[in-house]
Amino acid sequence: MSAPVGSGSAGGAAAASGSTVGAAGAALAARDAARPRPAPAPALVALAFAAVYLAWGSTYLAIRVAVVSVPTPILAGARFTIAGAGMLLALRLRGRAIAPSGRELRALAVVGALLLVGGNGCVVWAERTVTSGLTALIVATVPLWMAGLAALPPARERMPARGVIGLVLGFAGVAVLVGPDLAGGGPLAGEAAVLVAALSWSCGSLYARRATASVDPLVATGWEMLFGGGLFVLIALAAGSATDLHATPTSVVALAYLIVFGSWIGFTAYVWLLAHVPAAKAATYAYVNPVIALLLGWWILGERVSLAVAIGSAIIVLAVVLVTTARVRPHAATPACAPEA
């Protein structure tokens, strides 16, 4: 049975903003698709889309503001520990079971490490030198990484020509973005870190498809954030990051914004959309968020939008549209993968 790539890869892009959707969003969409639901009010749908677009599109701006005075492991550790614990507490108060098996918890710890420590951590570190808009544009390649990795064993998803063209265009767009810095000695280390982040998110999201499929998506997200936040705290302690902490009222507000809007409101709105609109429509944030991040960085932080950034962003957005709307077919000889821990 064919399925849009976006139904699985879009979740990885959400993790890029730090919401750790991973494969959880796709699993929830598949589960709820079979349940007949009354049509939601158009105003509620519009409000949910606005929340997803603005909450996740603005997280890059908030990270750029906070990282000026808060070290990476402390910023990310505080954000995800509070967000994960808060989400699990809210679920428990609503009567949901929040205690997965030991095997599932180990898998969730791996996913949290890949999505948050390897993914979000690299982004936060990179934004010390890379503009928020450029970071968001490179992060937008997550669906491209996921589609390419899914074509390898064991999944071996067969990508049509439309998707292949999208992959080629996407990475050409990245080359356009970083080309001027290659020639002029720009923040190449930071840009490389964002690419590593995109790869780490993609690997984590693909692993989550098999290893955490049996866990309630909301519960999985809470545990992934809690595990990721805990790892960041350990890194902060080992690195002695507290000596570099110079928190300001602005950075504290940015951290609170990341927790409330990026990790709680944005994710809740996205889950609601997956339950009430087609997954392909919910996944449109993958095209919109980089543009919002670029505009906010230009408007609020005065980040320059060069010709290379304008051309590269257009190419990447087009590539993501092509890849996430392509329909792939699983390899006929590939058996279903059992969850691993």
Side-chain angles (χ1 to χ4, degrees):
M1 179 178 176
S2 300
V5 174
S7 64
S9 60
S17 67
S19 303
T20 68
V21 175
L28 186 64
R31 186 188 70 184
D32 288 347
R35 300 179 182 177
R37 292 177 179 269
L44 285 178
V45 174
L47 183 62
F49 270 113
V52 172
Y53 290 164
L54 294 176
W56 284 346
S58 59
T59 53
Y60 300 95
L61 172 66
I63 290 171
R64 178 75 168 170
V65 170
V67 79
V68 171
S69 57
V70 181
T72 296
I74 293 180
L75 174 62
R79 175 188 178 184
F80 292 117
T81 300
I82 296 172
M87 178 172 287
L88 291 173
L89 177 61
L91 291 171
R92 188 68 189 91
L93 292 176
R94 294 185 62 183
R96 302 278 280 273
I98 62 169
S101 67
R103 183 181 184 184
E104 290 167 339
L105 284 173
R106 289 193 296 272
L108 290 169
V110 172
V111 174
L114 289 169
L115 293 180
L116 298 182
V117 179
N120 188 266
C122 285
V123 161
V124 176
W125 182 84
E127 284 205 46
R128 299 182 307 163
T129 57
V130 182
T131 64
S132 60
L134 181 57
T135 300
L137 289 170
I138 298 176
V139 164
T141 62
V142 167
L144 311 182
W145 287 101
M146 287 190 65
L149 291 172
L152 302 175
R156 296 185 183 180
E157 294 179 350
R158 298 174 180 174
M159 183 175 297
R162 177 193 188 117
V164 174
I165 293 172
L167 285 178
V168 174
L169 275 178
F171 293 112
V174 171
V176 172
L177 287 179
V178 303
D181 291 332
L182 286 172
L188 295 178
E191 292 166 354
V194 182
L195 286 173
V196 171
L199 179 59
S200 184
W201 283 317
S202 302
C203 292
S205 297
L206 291 172
Y207 174 74
R209 281 183 180 178
R210 333 181 253 123
T212 66
S214 60
V215 185
D216 180 289
L218 289 170
V219 173
T221 299
W223 279 108
E224 287 161 10
M225 288 195 289
L226 193 58
F227 279 127
L231 287 172
F232 276 120
V233 171
L234 293 177
I235 293 171
L237 291 173
S241 300
T243 58
D244 298 322
L245 175 62
H246 305 287
T248 64
T250 301
S251 63
V252 172
V253 170
L255 172 59
Y257 183 89
L258 288 168
I259 294 169
V260 175
F261 288 89
S263 296
W264 286 342
I265 292 178
F267 180 76
T268 302
Y270 180 68
V271 169
W272 186 87
L273 283 172
L274 285 175
H276 292 88
V277 304
K281 288 187 178 181
T284 55
Y285 78 86
Y287 328 136
V288 178
N289 285 2
V291 178
I292 290 178
L294 193 67
L295 292 175
L296 287 176
W298 165 76
W299 178 38
I300 297 177
L301 299 180
E303 295 176 350
R304 189 172 69 92
V305 180
S306 65
L307 180 61
V309 170
I311 295 174
S313 63
I315 294 173
I316 288 175
V317 170
L318 174 60
V320 172
V321 171
L322 289 174
V323 171
T324 57
T325 56
R327 303 184 73 85
V328 299
R329 293 173 296 171
H331 193 279
T334 302
C337 296
E340 296 178 3

